[in-house]
Amino acid sequence: MMLGTALVTDHFLVREQFDEAEWEPFIRTRRFVDEEVLPVINDYWERAEFPWPLARQLAELELLDEGMSPLALGLVHMELNRGDGSLGTFFGVQTGLAMKAIEMLGSPEQQARWLGPMARLDAIGAFALTEPDHGSDSVALETSARREGDTWVLNGAKRWIGNGTIADVAVVWARSTEDGQVKGFLVETGSPGYDATVITGKAAVRAVWQADIRLDDVRVPESSRLPGATTFKDAGRVLITTRGTVAWGALGHAMAAYDIALTYTRQRHQFGRPLASFQIVQDRLVKMLAEVTSMQLYCMQLARLADDGRVSDTIAGLAKFNNTRKARQVIAEARDLLGGNGILLENHVIRHMSDIEVLHTFEGTETMQALIVGRDITGIGAFT
């Protein structure tokens, strides 16, 4: 929302709705992004190398601690993605999927064991739901959990699992052979039979690692089963909260692209004049700002509803649907306004253009969100 000290995208005075508890982590994260992330992240992205020094600073800045309001947490997600989608994805998996699953569905003992270390990044988490043959229809997952006394034996495969190769614990979703219901398990990644490999060849979020995971007779004690995860709907409850953070992340990508385009067109001269002095350029900048502002308002209302415990799957889905679509449009405009320079990593836009494709897809594609919201407004399910 800021370029330097000016709130250049805050035309609807959103800043006035932040209190000090929300403003302080926002400023802390913005400073970190501007001073630490942006100067180095392109090199990590180009080499597909995980930025360990930056990730560790998230803990030092106390950004992973529990207790932030939905608005404060949303602003942190926004700022991290304004800097880099890879770092934002890592943060989202750690806090929004792995930690949130344990917080919402875990026992007091599980929470005591994992949440503190995860907030300090003494432990890293993963959320293993998606499978090679089940993405949008993850409700049909095939990973199995067979009970043998006080032990569960897990078999199957997972794909696109963020942090899967660096995690200490993975929240693994598997279908019980007893009752056919999906349950959640805390699998320590050093367990025999757990094997994770980095997915290579990605053209987006290159500086964070997603994994293919094999589970071959992985034995998990009953004490590591999440007691609050007894059906697939419980996994869905976690995803409702994280879809909202995806909307915030998309806003961050769009803000970055808009700020870059505005700065560039003011400084770049063609035909003896700054690009920003041409009518068509101003028209495009205003349309970009309009989209960013609408995304801000979606996110602000999402935070208010989350504060009241009123975020449903359709509300979260509509926010993700809107913001990822709008972010793609804004970033595409920015890339075009930069001309040939738009494809250079040093100008950052092309990285955001690639990375927004990940946010557009994960935690439910645009098509799936449309079907979820469409069923709500029509009363007719159109999934098949």
Side-chain angles (χ1 to χ4, degrees):
M1 290 199 180
M2 299 196 326
L3 184 64
T5 58
L7 291 170
V8 298
T9 58
D10 191 19
H11 279 14
F12 274 36
L13 307 180
V14 170
R15 160 66 184 99
E16 295 180 1
Q17 300 179 53
F18 302 174
D19 62 28
E20 190 60 31
E22 293 150 349
W23 181 246
E24 197 281 328
F26 164 63
I27 289 297
R28 203 185 329 150
T29 310
R30 173 160 282 257
R31 186 176 298 116
F32 166 64
V33 166
D34 287 342
E35 297 177 2
E36 304 293 337
V37 177
L38 290 176
V40 301
I41 195 60
N42 285 334
D43 288 338
Y44 284 106
W45 194 93
E46 192 168 21
R47 295 194 308 269
E49 178 183 340
F50 184 69
W52 282 109
L54 298 177
R56 292 189 182 99
Q57 288 187 67
L58 297 175
E60 295 168 10
L61 292 167
E62 299 181 346
L63 297 178
L64 297 103
D65 288 354
E66 299 172 83
M68 267 195 263
S69 71
L71 178 55
L73 185 59
L75 291 168
V76 170
H77 275 279
M78 177 188 77
E79 279 302 298
L80 289 177
N81 282 278
R82 182 182 68 85
D84 177 58
S86 299
L87 198 60
T89 298
F90 170 79
F91 183 80
V93 172
Q94 179 80 352
T95 62
L97 288 172
M99 291 178 69
K100 183 61 70 174
I102 297 170
E103 176 191 335
M104 292 176 63
L105 308 172
S107 68
E109 293 77 17
Q110 292 165 346
Q111 293 164 358
R113 179 180 180 186
W114 290 111
L115 292 181
M118 292 173 79
R120 298 188 298 270
L121 280 185
D122 292 334
I124 292 175
F127 187 89
L129 175 62
T130 302
E131 297 183 351
D133 294 325
H134 299 285
S136 293
D137 71 336
S138 55
V139 66
L141 63 84
E142 297 178 44
T143 298
S144 66
R146 184 181 76 255
R147 187 161 188 169
E148 294 182 357
D150 290 334
T151 300
W152 293 84
V153 182
L154 307 185
N155 282 281
K158 299 293 182 179
R159 185 164 174 80
W160 293 115
I161 308 307
N163 303 348
T165 56
I166 61 174
D168 298 282
V169 62
V171 179
V172 175
W173 298 90
R175 190 176 303 281
S176 169
T177 59
E178 287 184 340
D179 59 12
Q181 295 294 332
V182 172
K183 304 184 188 302
F185 301 88
L186 297 177
V187 177
E188 296 187 44
T189 58
S191 302
Y194 178 97
D195 181 66
T197 56
V198 173
I199 296 173
T200 59
K202 293 188 306 173
V205 292
R206 288 173 51 79
V208 71
W209 295 331
Q210 279 86 20
D212 279 319
I213 295 175
R214 289 292 312 173
L215 301 157
D216 294 316
D217 288 335
V218 176
R219 303 182 72 83
V220 182
E222 167 64 14
S223 60
S224 292
R225 181 179 63 82
L226 293 171
T230 58
T231 73
F232 185 81
K233 289 182 179 179
D234 297 312
R237 289 198 291 128
V238 178
L239 294 174
I240 288 172
T241 67
T242 55
R243 280 192 195 112
T245 61
V246 173
W248 280 100
L251 171 58
H253 283 282
M255 285 172 48
Y258 173 76
D259 284 347
I260 292 165
L262 179 60
T263 300
Y264 183 87
T265 56
R266 284 170 168 171
Q267 296 173 350
R268 174 76 167 175
H269 283 67
Q270 293 289 281
F271 306 104
R273 299 162 52 189
L275 286 177
S277 70
F278 291 93
Q279 290 181 354
I280 195 167
V281 172
Q282 290 193 10
D283 178 70
R284 293 170 73 176
L285 288 169
V286 170
K287 289 175 179 175
M288 292 165 71
L289 176 62
E291 301 293 15
V292 170
T293 300
S294 72
M295 293 165 66
Q296 289 174 343
L297 298 180
Y298 261 83
C299 286
M300 291 297 295
Q301 180 64 2
L302 195 63
R304 294 190 192 100
L305 293 172
D307 250 337
D308 294 338
R310 296 167 58 197
V311 175
S312 66
D313 57 348
T314 54
I315 289 172
L318 186 59
K320 179 185 185 296
F321 177 93
N322 180 78
N323 282 17
T324 58
R325 292 176 76 239
K326 297 301 185 185
R328 290 172 101 196
Q329 296 168 13
V330 169
I331 297 167
E333 285 286 352
R335 180 263 167 277
D336 192 62
L337 284 170
L338 266 66
N341 291 326
I343 68 169
L344 293 174
L345 277 177
E346 67 186 55
N347 292 316
H348 299 286
V349 171
I350 197 66
R351 177 166 50 80
H352 287 288
M353 193 173 193
S354 294
D355 289 354
I356 193 62
E357 293 304 303
V358 176
L359 271 72
H360 186 66
T361 300
F362 68 28
E363 300 202 30
T365 63
E366 176 181 308
T367 300
M368 293 305 297
Q369 304 307 329
L371 291 173
I372 291 169
V373 178
R375 179 179 58 190
D376 184 58
I377 63 178
T378 66
I380 303 170
F383 288 86
T384 57

